[in-house]
């Protein structure tokens, strides 16, 4: 097999109805042994926010939370982020778009990601360290990256 997974992608609500669900739910990928994975950014415009989140998690996607989470008025998004299993969440920047509340009307930057971590830690009542470690493992898993948080086995031990 040449490919283990399709390239992961950050899906937007506009693309899901026409591309993501048919792609991730079956043909032609699963018939060929490929898995569609990626990060889905929950849409606040959706009246089925929690149901959509569950569908994506069931398909192996993680849900990405970025700068919008830092706005207190994002109550639906904050409620969702607080209730979902941490094993399905990742932090994302949305750079250069959608900066957090402290940087409104400015260009977004990955350096603001700790602010998203702070808010997620606060709304979940969990430590920053725990959330950072788990979301790092999650992003490595969903993007098929080497996990730098775990010790790498020594090849001589094999």
């Amino acid at each position: 097999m040449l490919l283990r997974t399709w390239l992961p992608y950050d899906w937007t609500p506009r693309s899901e109805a026409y591309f993501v669900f048919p792609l991730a739910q079956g043909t032609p990928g699963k018939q060929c042994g490929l898995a569609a994975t990626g990060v889905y950014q929950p849409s606040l415009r959706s009246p089925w926010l929690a149901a959509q989140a569950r569908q994506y998690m069931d398909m192996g996607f993680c849900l990405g939370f970025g700068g919008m989470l830092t706005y207190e008025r994002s109550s639906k998004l904050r409620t969702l982020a607080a209730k979902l299993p941490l094993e399905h969440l990742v932090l994302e920047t949305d750079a250069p778009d959608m900066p957090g509340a402290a940087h409104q009307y400015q260009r977004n930057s990955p350096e603001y990601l700790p602010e998203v971590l702070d808010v997620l830690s606060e709304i979940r009542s969990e430590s920053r360290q725990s959330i950072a470690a788990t979301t790092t493992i999650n992003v490595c898993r969903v993007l098929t990256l080497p996990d730098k948080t775990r010790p790498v086995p020594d090849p001589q031990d094999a």
Side-chain angles (χ1 to χ4, degrees):
M1 177 185 291
L2 295 175
L3 298 173
R4 189 171 65 156
T5 60
W6 290 329
L7 283 178
Y9 192 76
D10 187 3
W11 301 109
T12 61
R14 191 175 298 271
S15 65
E16 75 188 27
Y18 301 104
F19 186 66
V20 179
F21 283 131
L23 177 71
Q25 288 179 336
T27 46
K30 287 189 179 177
Q31 293 174 351
C32 300
L34 300 174
T37 64
V39 176
Y40 176 71
Q41 185 181 57
S43 168
L44 294 177
R45 290 174 269 161
S46 171
W48 306 285
L49 185 60
Q52 279 182 330
R54 181 64 54 200
Q55 279 185 297
Y56 277 98
M57 289 186 304
D58 289 347
M59 291 188 292
F61 283 69
C62 281
L63 282 81
F65 291 90
M68 291 304 297
L69 194 68
T70 65
Y71 290 88
E72 287 187 30
R73 68 179 183 262
S74 295
S75 58
K76 287 182 188 177
L77 193 62
R78 285 176 168 224
T79 299
L80 183 68
K83 291 182 178 181
L84 292 176
L86 187 57
E87 292 72 29
H88 291 282
L89 305 185
V90 297
L91 303 178
E92 62 181 14
T93 66
D94 286 325
D97 300 318
M98 294 200 275
H103 308 282
Q104 194 171 10
Y105 306 115
Q106 298 174 21
R107 182 180 174 92
N108 197 2
S109 169
E111 69 185 294
Y112 305 147
L113 199 58
E115 296 169 18
V116 178
L117 175 62
D118 290 339
V119 171
L120 191 59
S121 174
E122 179 185 323
I123 63 177
R124 292 182 67 91
S125 299
E126 296 180 35
S127 73
R128 292 179 85 242
Q129 293 78 10
S130 172
I131 291 174
T134 303
T135 56
T136 299
I137 290 168
N138 296 347
V139 79
C140 290
R141 180 186 74 243
V142 76
L143 299 180
T144 61
L145 301 172
D147 183 352
K148 302 294 185 186
T149 64
R150 297 182 198 157
V152 177
D154 189 336
Q156 295 177 356
D157 293 340

